[in-house]
Structures are given as C-alpha cells and as structure tokens.
C-alpha cells in the first residue's frame, strides 16, 4: 500500500507540471491599430496601394509567424477615421518588433510610398488587448461594427468581467444562431481616450444592425437589468463606426 501511495504521488508530480505548462502557454493577443485620416476624394487610391505594396509583405509575415494576423478596413459609417491598418502579436514587444521587420522587408522589396502619405496624411495609434470573444477567427465576415467606449479607469476591469460573464453568452448565441459571424471585446493598452473596443461582424450591414439591436434588447430588456446598467455607468459614452473589411489574414 505504501508503494502504491508513493507511486500515485510520483505520478501526480509528473502530471502537474505539464498541466501548469499548458495553462502558462495560453497566449494573449495584442493588436496594434492605426486609424488614418484620409482625403475622401482620393482614399480609394490608398486601398490600391495597400493591395499592391503592403498586402504581399504582410501576408507573408503572417504565414511565417512574424505576426499572427493583420488587416485593412475602410470607412462605411461613423466619425473622422477613414481607414484602419492593424497587425497582431502575442506580446506588445512582438508588435513593435514586427513593425521594424515589416519595414525592412518593404525596403528590401523596393516598395515605395507611392503617395500614400499624401492621401492619408495623419493618424491615431492604439494598442488593444483582446479580452474575450471569437473575433480572432479567420472567417470573419466583411461587414464590421466597432464601438469605441470611454470608461471609468477605476472600474473598467469590472466592465471586462461583466462582458465575459454576463454578455458573452448573448453574443455567442448570436454566433451560433448565424446572426453574426464574430464578436470581440478588447482593452486599452496604449493610445487615445477610448478605453474599450467592442466589435462584431456579419454578412451584411442590415443583418449586422438587426443582430446588434436584438443583442442590446436581450441584454438591457426593459432597463431593469442591474448588471447591464452598471456596465453603462462604467462605460458611459461611446463612438460607433461601420467598417468594410477589405483584407484580412490570420495564421
């Protein structure tokens, strides 16, 4: 019996490190997003330049693991931002390292600016950390919604808890029911005034807006959902954008 107990204890010791290692290996996802202000008369030229100059290099960098994904989105409805370019990594250091690597590869390939800076002459940068959702999937739809939240810095982590525990099942059901293709919730790491980012995609804008309305009705109901009201107190204002996903790549 003593030998059996010793054997069992040894077996547990052997198994536990692997279990902990698997948990420790769970990777985060960070997103470096550049929001461009562009000349509305010539902004379609910027899309052509991204397709010609940037996409081949960034697609290859995604395939070889330099970045975990990237994308280019164009403005449909919303504020002053006209285009988004983003790339992803499992660390913030990885985001910055990737910038240098991509720039070096572009230089070696002889890629020129081709007037992009004149078309999109200024920008805002944000770094986001993915907190919940399935928005990292490679099969996101092309009609996208982004909700940029201003939140109370002292309570914004509580908003993350509410999203993960209370709201996520509603979003996940919308995915399962085929009403949306993806959703995500990200926290602010660096950048401007927006502290949280909510995203959704669907096959069309009418489908996206209908699904969003149903989700909000389910969450808020007649206004007597205390948790939902708490969330609105923490993140009390927001700006909404609709985006066309022009190009995305995931590894």
């Amino acid at each position: 019996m003593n030998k059996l107990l010793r054997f069992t204890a040894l077996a547990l010791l052997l198994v536990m490190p692997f279990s902990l290692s698997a948990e420790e290996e769970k990777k985060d996802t960070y997103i470096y997003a550049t929001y461009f202000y562009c000349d509305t008369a010539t902004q379609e030229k910027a899309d052509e330049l991204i397709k010609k100059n940037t996409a081949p290099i960034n697609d290859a960098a995604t395939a070889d693991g330099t970045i975990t994904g990237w994308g280019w989105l164009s403005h449909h409805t919303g504020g002053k931002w006209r285009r988004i370019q983003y790339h992803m990594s499992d660390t913030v250091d990885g985001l910055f390292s990737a910038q240098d690597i991509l720039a070096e590869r572009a230089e070696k390939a002889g890629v020129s600016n081709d007037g992009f800076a004149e078309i999109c002459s200024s920008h805002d940068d944000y770094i986001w950390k993915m907190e919940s959702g399935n928005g990292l999937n490679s099969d996101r739809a092309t009609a996208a919604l982004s909700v940029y939240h201003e939140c109370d810095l002292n309570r914004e982590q509580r908003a993350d808890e509410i999203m993960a525990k209370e709201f996520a099942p509603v979003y996940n059901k919308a995915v399962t029911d085929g009403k949306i293709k993806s959703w995500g919730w990200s926290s602010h790491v660096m950048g401007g005034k927006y502290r949280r980012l909510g995203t959704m995609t669907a096959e069309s804008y009418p489908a996206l807006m209908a699904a969003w309305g149903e989700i909000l009705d389910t969450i808020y109901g007649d206004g007597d959902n205390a948790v939902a009201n708490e969330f609105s107190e923490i993140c009390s204002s927001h700006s909404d954008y609709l985006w066309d996903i022009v190009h995305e790549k995931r590894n």
Side-chain angles (χ1 to χ4, degrees), residues 170 213-221 225:
V170 180
E214 290 181 16
I215 288 169
L216 293 179
D217 286 344
T218 301
I219 289 173
Y220 285 92
N225 185 333

Side-chain angles (χ1 to χ4, degrees), residues 105-171:
R105 292 180 181 179
E107 184 176 0
K108 288 181 180 178
V111 172
S112 64
N113 181 273
D114 283 342
F116 179 89
E118 285 72 36
I119 300 169
C120 299
S121 57
S122 62
H123 63 269
D124 296 323
D125 294 323
Y126 277 79
I127 296 177
W128 303 103
K129 180 185 178 185
M130 192 76 173
E131 297 290 347
S132 55
N134 72 334
L136 299 179
N137 291 352
S138 60
D139 59 347
R140 296 210 310 164
T142 57
L145 166 71
S146 292
V147 181
Y148 302 93
H149 293 270
E150 295 183 57
C151 306
D152 181 346
L153 273 66
N154 296 316
R155 296 192 292 161
E156 59 189 8
Q157 290 184 348
R158 171 58 180 156
D160 298 338
E161 293 177 3
I162 293 172
M163 178 61 67
K165 296 178 181 178
E166 305 293 337
F167 297 172
V170 180
Y171 285 94

Side-chain angles (χ1 to χ4, degrees), residues 179-214:
K179 295 179 179 179
I180 60 174
K181 194 74 171 180
S182 67
W183 73 278
W185 179 256
S186 299
S187 62
H188 174 280
V189 176
M190 181 179 175
K193 66 181 180 179
Y194 297 117
R195 302 297 303 177
R196 292 298 184 270
L197 168 61
T199 62
M200 289 196 307
T201 70
E203 298 298 339
S204 68
Y205 289 111
L208 183 62
M209 298 303 292
W212 191 27
E214 290 181 16

Side-chain angles (χ1 to χ4, degrees), residues 1-215:
M1 179 65 70
N2 289 339
K3 289 183 179 179
L4 179 60
L5 288 173
R6 285 197 297 270
F7 177 80
T8 302
L10 178 61
L12 287 172
L13 288 172
L14 290 172
V15 171
M16 285 175 61
F18 290 101
S19 299
L20 292 173
S21 177
E23 184 66 26
E24 290 170 356
E25 288 177 1
K26 184 179 179 182
K27 294 181 178 180
D28 293 321
T29 296
Y30 293 90
I31 305 161
Y32 192 113
T34 299
Y35 299 87
F36 288 100
Y37 299 90
C38 305
D39 179 357
T40 57
T42 57
Q43 60 189 3
E44 286 77 13
K45 176 64 175 177
D47 300 333
E48 296 173 7
L49 294 175
I50 290 293
K51 181 179 180 180
K52 171 188 172 185
N53 297 330
T54 304
I57 292 172
N58 286 14
D59 283 354
T62 303
D64 69 23
T66 300
I67 53 179
T68 60
W70 82 283
W72 177 256
L73 285 68
S74 68
H75 177 280
H76 181 281
T77 302
K80 295 182 178 181
W81 290 330
R82 303 303 301 181
R83 295 295 188 272
I84 307 173
Q85 182 175 325
Y86 73 88
H87 66 278
M88 304 188 303
S89 178
D90 53 13
T91 66
V92 174
D93 287 346
L95 293 176
F96 292 127
S97 175
Q99 282 184 312
D100 295 334
I101 293 171
L102 294 172
E104 290 173 4
R105 292 180 181 179
E107 184 176 0
K108 288 181 180 178
V111 172
S112 64
N113 181 273
D114 283 342
F116 179 89
E118 285 72 36
I119 300 169
C120 299
S121 57
S122 62
H123 63 269
D124 296 323
D125 294 323
Y126 277 79
I127 296 177
W128 303 103
K129 180 185 178 185
M130 192 76 173
E131 297 290 347
S132 55
N134 72 334
L136 299 179
N137 291 352
S138 60
D139 59 347
R140 296 210 310 164
T142 57
L145 166 71
S146 292
V147 181
Y148 302 93
H149 293 270
E150 295 183 57
C151 306
D152 181 346
L153 273 66
N154 296 316
R155 296 192 292 161
E156 59 189 8
Q157 290 184 348
R158 171 58 180 156
D160 298 338
E161 293 177 3
I162 293 172
M163 178 61 67
K165 296 178 181 178
E166 305 293 337
F167 297 172
V170 180
Y171 285 94
N172 288 334
K173 186 176 187 304
V175 173
T176 301
D177 292 345
K179 295 179 179 179
I180 60 174
K181 194 74 171 180
S182 67
W183 73 278
W185 179 256
S186 299
S187 62
H188 174 280
V189 176
M190 181 179 175
K193 66 181 180 179
Y194 297 117
R195 302 297 303 177
R196 292 298 184 270
L197 168 61
T199 62
M200 289 196 307
T201 70
E203 298 298 339
S204 68
Y205 289 111
L208 183 62
M209 298 303 292
W212 191 27
E214 290 181 16
I215 288 169

